[in-house]
Amino acid sequence: MSEHRQTQRGLGYFNAIYGYGMIMVILVHTISFNSDYFYSNFVFYGWFSVLGSAYMVLFFLLSGYGFTPSPARKALSFHFRTLLKPYYITAAAVLLAKLILSFVRRRSFWEHGGEYLLTYALGLNVEGGGTLFGIPVESVSILWFLLALFEARCLFNCLAHLKDRRLTYGLSLACTLLGYCMMRFSSVWPFVVHIGLMATGWVALGNLIREEHLLDKKLPLVPLLILAALSLNTFLRSHTDLIRGELNGGLLDVLGLSCLSVLLLFFFDWLTARTIDTAGNRFFAAIGMNNIWIICIHAFEKVILPNYKFLEWFPNSIFLQTVLMFAARTAFIAVVFAGLQTGRELLRKFRRRGRKKVTIEL
């Protein structure tokens, strides 16, 4: 049974988890748009923030679970294409849209979008906006995940080539501790390098879970209770935000988020094994399979589209604001993604035609 399950967990097995995560990210960003409600609500600003941070850690675990070492140059090239390229394309699209809007609305680009030049160029995570050396900057939004994952995978790929396995995992843990120390010193670093360092340990943990076949083993009671206790300790602190650097419990929160993400991994592995052939699982897996570009489209519309209009149109109904804004966002993401897919297919056909050999019959 375990060998069958291990073989079954191939490429795409955990895509549904990414799909659930994408829906949760869009939903939370929609609810948090009404800041007066979100930040005063214990469930959303408290427990949802803990769960959201743990889910991001889970994404890093999954990346490590499917990790395969490769030559440094090959890994760098692959991760650049799959992570940094979408990041910079999205950043360019945001800046271009802001520039066009500055002409259409006859307003200053430097006051309504120019700050994104610094933000995206340096990958700054000034969540909610702020200043750096007196220069206004905006948040890099959820695109921080692409930068952190790029750094973590490239760094762990180098560590994975060490001959001593204990040294590989020991240095990965050291990276997490270094990233945590940097976060305590400052919550803002160029290219979110502090989270990239922390994520290196989580990628290593995911890889360790796969190597030791831990998902095929039943968790003993004592380790399960320890994982649950550390997770509960972080939950009881009510608010933890990884990107903002708000870890009031210190290293206990880092450990708690790690434990909670491991429990989530075991839960979703159990759930996927029982629902893998269902329509619901296939739906979320399709979303998860394209999670990178969905993140990018969501990051674009979150900055560009006038979502605040829903707050003006329905000032007395938080429910209508949330439902309609969520529907509008998901519809926009679906339409743009379908358009991008169609464009890519047309481009591929055009390139294939151009490569056809021309033969001249004599």
Side-chain angles (χ1 to χ4, degrees):
M1 176 64 179
S2 62
E3 291 183 2
H4 172 69
R5 288 286 300 281
Q6 187 68 23
T7 304
Q8 191 183 33
R9 293 190 196 96
L11 188 64
Y13 179 79
F14 288 121
N15 272 337
I17 305 181
Y18 289 102
Y20 303 142
M22 290 300 96
I23 298 296
M24 185 174 71
V25 165
I26 297 171
L27 178 61
V28 171
H29 285 168
T30 302
I31 298 172
S32 64
F33 210 89
N34 191 325
S35 58
D36 292 337
Y37 173 77
F38 181 82
Y39 291 109
S40 62
N41 189 289
F42 179 79
V43 173
F44 289 115
Y45 187 60
W47 292 347
F48 247 62
S49 67
V50 176
L51 183 60
S53 294
Y55 218 102
M56 300 314 296
V57 175
L58 175 60
F59 283 174
F60 292 122
L61 284 186
L62 290 174
S63 181
Y65 191 91
F67 179 84
T68 302
S70 58
R73 182 177 295 182
K74 182 179 179 181
L76 189 64
S77 174
F78 175 76
H79 296 318
F80 179 85
R81 291 196 313 273
T82 57
L83 296 171
L84 287 195
K85 188 176 179 180
Y87 171 86
Y88 284 113
I89 289 175
T90 306
V94 168
L95 291 169
L96 180 60
K98 286 288 186 181
L99 184 61
I100 293 172
L101 286 172
S102 68
F103 283 107
V104 172
R105 298 185 178 181
R106 297 181 180 181
R107 66 189 187 189
S108 169
F109 170 71
W110 299 109
E111 295 178 3
H112 297 86
E115 66 270 23
Y116 284 99
L117 283 170
L118 182 61
T119 300
Y120 285 112
L122 296 181
L124 298 174
N125 61 301
V126 185
E127 186 71 15
T131 59
L132 186 70
F133 304 118
I135 303 173
V137 295
E138 268 294 342
S139 171
V140 76
S141 189
I142 56 175
L143 290 177
W144 68 266
F145 176 74
L146 303 185
L147 294 175
L149 184 58
F150 172 81
E151 294 159 4
R153 285 188 66 91
C154 288
L155 185 53
F156 182 68
N157 183 70
C158 294
L159 296 176
H161 285 90
L162 297 175
K163 294 181 179 180
D164 191 332
R165 186 166 173 264
R166 289 175 296 180
L167 184 60
T168 294
Y169 289 109
L171 289 176
S172 299
L173 175 61
C175 287
T176 298
L177 294 176
L178 175 60
Y180 168 76
C181 292
M182 292 172 65
M183 180 180 286
R184 301 301 289 184
F185 179 76
S186 172
S187 60
V188 182
W189 289 88
F191 304 105
V192 292
V193 65
H194 58 310
I195 301 181
L197 284 168
M198 293 179 70
T200 303
W202 292 321
V203 170
L205 178 58
N207 191 64
L208 180 64
I209 290 173
R210 178 181 58 82
E211 286 186 343
E212 297 297 325
H213 306 292
L214 295 182
L215 289 181
D216 298 311
K217 302 173 182 178
K218 187 176 181 180
L219 271 178
L221 181 60
V222 174
L224 182 61
L225 289 176
I226 293 174
L227 290 173
L230 290 170
S231 301
L232 183 61
N233 175 65
T234 300
F235 256 112
L236 291 177
R237 295 180 185 278
S238 80
H239 177 70
T240 299
D241 196 324
L242 189 60
I243 186 62
R244 289 177 181 265
E246 296 174 356
L247 299 172
N248 298 327
L251 282 173
L252 276 177
D253 274 353
V254 177
L255 193 57
L257 291 177
S258 303
C259 292
L260 182 54
S261 66
V262 170
L263 291 177
L264 287 172
L265 178 60
F266 273 85
F267 167 73
F268 280 117
D269 179 60
W270 172 85
L271 181 65
T272 302
R274 286 156 179 76
T275 62
I276 194 167
D277 293 324
T278 63
N281 186 279
R282 288 193 292 270
F283 171 75
F284 285 107
I287 296 174
M289 184 172 59
N290 301 289
N291 68 90
I292 297 298
W293 283 107
I294 290 176
I295 285 176
C296 292
I297 298 170
H298 175 48
F300 175 85
E301 62 85 12
K302 188 172 182 285
V303 172
I304 299 301
L305 297 188
N307 295 303
Y308 61 86
K309 290 292 185 181
F310 289 99
L311 304 182
E312 298 176 0
W313 294 335
F314 308 99
N316 300 319
S317 178
I318 294 173
F319 178 77
L320 275 178
Q321 290 173 7
T322 304
V323 170
L324 293 178
M325 192 188 300
F326 180 78
R329 278 184 154 164
T330 52
F332 178 84
I333 291 171
V335 170
V336 173
F337 180 77
L340 290 175
Q341 289 287 84
T342 303
R344 288 176 63 184
E345 288 300 319
L346 291 175
L347 185 60
R348 285 175 183 172
K349 289 181 180 179
F350 179 78
R351 286 176 175 174
R352 282 197 293 266
R353 287 179 182 177
R355 291 173 185 168
K356 287 182 178 179
K357 294 181 179 180
V358 178
T359 57
I360 301 177
E361 295 183 1
L362 298 177

